[in-house]
Each structure stands twice: as structure tokens, then as C-alpha cells.
């Protein structure tokens, strides 16, 4: 699993780094007299000190808590005073995953989730990451890549899942994913938040599902585009 290999993992913020970052930002806000935001970051630091786990227990990808740090925490605060860099956010859902659990059982379903997480974490850009959003949904965070590159990354992940030899796990098993990708070009102002991007990715995911699944939906020139089956 690429994200678990030493070099890539060491570049990503771990709990002690987040703890120090929260404390430093709390101190900065305190010197500016912004006691409310200073208090918020001190509370976050306390929460991390109590429970530093930012990994999903089942898949070992990052968890919802880590994603929320990127959406609402100090990373977002640090970017509000300057234009945002390029960022792609993809929301990914396993197609008809309930059918997998009903047909093969939850133990097989758990193995599918772990393997999909492994496949999603391959070939991510520097400082990119995969987080389990909840259930059978995952988020890919793709910083500092242009729109075309972001589309290629997400579609390559879709193809890796579709082409994986799932029948080796259980005869007859086949797994696909659908994805909605929202991309923000560099230079966007602070009102274009990652939170809004995630909501946009959610709407695009539903478009991919409605179009028949095993697709990537994204916006291009004010319209919704779909990458269809190319297995």
C-alpha cells in the first residue's frame, strides 16, 4: 500500500504535528486578541492529546477526523488570508456495496473495503491522501494538481478497482466505484472553501450514479462531464 510506505507517510501530518500546529495557531490568535479562535484550537489540541488516532481502524486510510482537520481545522485557517492553491477533492462510493455484504457476508465486505482503500491510495500526488468518509465512501484529497491531472488520477483509481481480480477473493465477485470530482484552480479566493468543494463532489457523485455507475463525474466549462467504462 503506497500510502503506508515510509517516505510518503512521513511527509503527512501525524498526531504530534497536529498537536503542535494547533497550539502554535492558538498562540497566534491569542496575540491578536482573537480569544474565541484561540480557544477552539486549544480544544482541538486537547482532543488530539487525549486520542491521537487519525487512521481508520478497518482500512488504515485516514479517517473522518483527519479529513475534518483539513476541511475545518488549522490547515483551512492558514489559507484564508491568501489565494488558495489548486485542489481536487473526489468523493468516491463503492457501487452496490450492500449487495456485496448480502451475497458474500460482512467479513468479505470488510476485505473489499480494505483492498479498495489500498487501491485508492496508489499514485496519489505529494501531500495527497485518501480518507474514509464513512461506510463505503472515501475522499481523495489532491493538492497542487491541475484539473486534467486530477481527472486522470481519479479515473485511474476507478480503473484499478474495476480491473482488480476480485474473483480471487470470492468467485463471481466484481467491484466498481463511482466518483464525483470537484476541482478548484489556483488563485481562488478564500470563499471557495474545501467544504464547498466536498459538497460539489457529492452532487457530482450522484450524477455518476444516475448515469449508470462505474463512472467519474466532474465539471468542465460549466457542464458536467462523465468518464464512462473503459475497461
Amino acid at each position: 500500500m503506497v500510502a503506508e510506505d515510509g517516505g510518503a507517510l512521513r511527509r503527512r501530518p501525524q498526531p504530534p504535528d497536529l498537536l503542535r500546529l494547533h497550539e502554535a495557531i492558538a498562540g497566534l490568535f491569542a496575540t491578536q486578541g482573537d480569544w474565541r479562535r484561540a480557544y477552539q484550537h486549544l480544544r482541538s489540541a486537547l482532543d488530539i492529546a487525549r486520542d491521537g488516532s487519525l487512521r481508520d481502524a478497518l482500512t488504515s486510510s485516514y479517517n473522518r477526523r483527519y479529513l475534518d482537520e483539513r476541511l475545518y481545522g488549522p490547515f483551512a485557517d492558514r489559507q484564508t488570508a491568501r489565494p488558495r492553491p489548486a485542489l481536487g477533492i473526489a468523493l468516491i462510493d463503492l457501487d452496490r456495496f450492500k449487495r456485496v455484504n448480502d451475497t458474500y457476508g460482512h467479513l468479505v465486505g470488510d476485505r473489499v473495503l480494505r483492498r479498495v482503500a489500498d487501491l485508492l491510495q496508489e499514485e496519489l500526488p505529494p501531500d495527497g491522501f485518501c480518507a474514509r468518509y464513512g461506510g463505503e465512501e472515501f475522499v481523495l484529497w489532491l493538492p497542487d494538481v491541475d484539473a486534467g491531472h486530477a481527472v486522470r488520477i481519479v479515473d485511474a483509481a476507478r480503473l484499478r478497482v474495476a480491473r482488480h481480480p476480485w474473483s480471487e477473493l470470492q468467485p463471481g465477485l466484481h467491484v466498481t466505484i463511482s466518483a464525483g470530482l470537484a476541482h478548484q484552480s489556483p488563485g481562488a479566493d478564500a470563499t471557495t472553501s474545501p467544504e464547498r468543494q466536498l459538497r460539489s463532489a457529492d452532487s457530482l457523485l450522484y450524477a455518476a450514479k444516475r448515469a449508470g455507475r462505474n463512472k467519474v463525474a466532474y465539471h468542465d466549462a460549466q457542464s458536467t462531464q462523465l468518464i464512462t467504462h473503459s475497461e
Side-chain angles (χ1 to χ4, degrees), residues 22-182:
H22 275 298
E23 291 173 339
I25 293 175
L28 176 62
F29 284 135
T31 61
Q32 297 172 347
D34 192 340
W35 301 109
R36 181 184 63 83
R37 298 178 81 181
Y39 174 74
Q40 288 174 344
H41 285 285
L42 284 176
R43 285 296 304 269
S44 295
L46 180 60
D47 288 342
I48 292 172
R50 287 173 174 170
D51 178 13
S53 176
L54 297 174
R55 292 277 178 178
D56 177 61
L58 176 64
T59 66
S60 296
S61 62
Y62 283 113
N63 58 20
R64 179 68 177 270
R65 178 177 179 174
Y66 182 80
L67 178 64
D68 285 347
E69 289 287 342
R70 306 306 298 259
L71 291 170
Y72 315 111
F75 299 94
D77 286 335
R78 288 190 302 167
Q79 295 178 9
T80 54
R82 56 188 171 90
R84 296 186 183 279
L87 176 65
I89 296 179
L91 184 59
I92 292 169
D93 184 69
L94 275 70
D95 296 327
R96 297 187 175 93
F97 184 66
K98 183 178 184 299
R99 184 181 298 176
V100 173
N101 281 329
D102 291 346
T103 303
Y104 300 101
H106 288 274
L107 290 178
V108 170
D110 286 350
R111 294 179 67 183
V112 168
L113 286 173
R114 285 194 291 267
R115 187 60 186 137
V116 167
D118 290 348
L119 295 168
L120 293 178
Q121 292 177 99
E122 294 181 10
E123 301 180 12
L124 294 180
D127 298 321
F129 66 87
C130 172
R132 189 179 181 192
Y133 190 61
E136 64 269 24
E137 289 187 322
F138 295 85
V139 167
L140 293 184
W141 185 280
L142 309 172
D144 300 318
V145 296
D146 62 31
H149 190 189
V151 171
R152 290 191 294 273
I153 290 170
V154 177
D155 193 51
R158 178 188 69 84
L159 287 172
R160 280 196 300 276
V161 173
R163 293 170 174 172
H164 186 71
W166 294 106
S167 60
E168 294 178 3
L169 178 59
Q170 283 289 328
L173 176 63
H174 185 60
V175 179
T176 62
I177 60 173
S178 298
L181 169 65

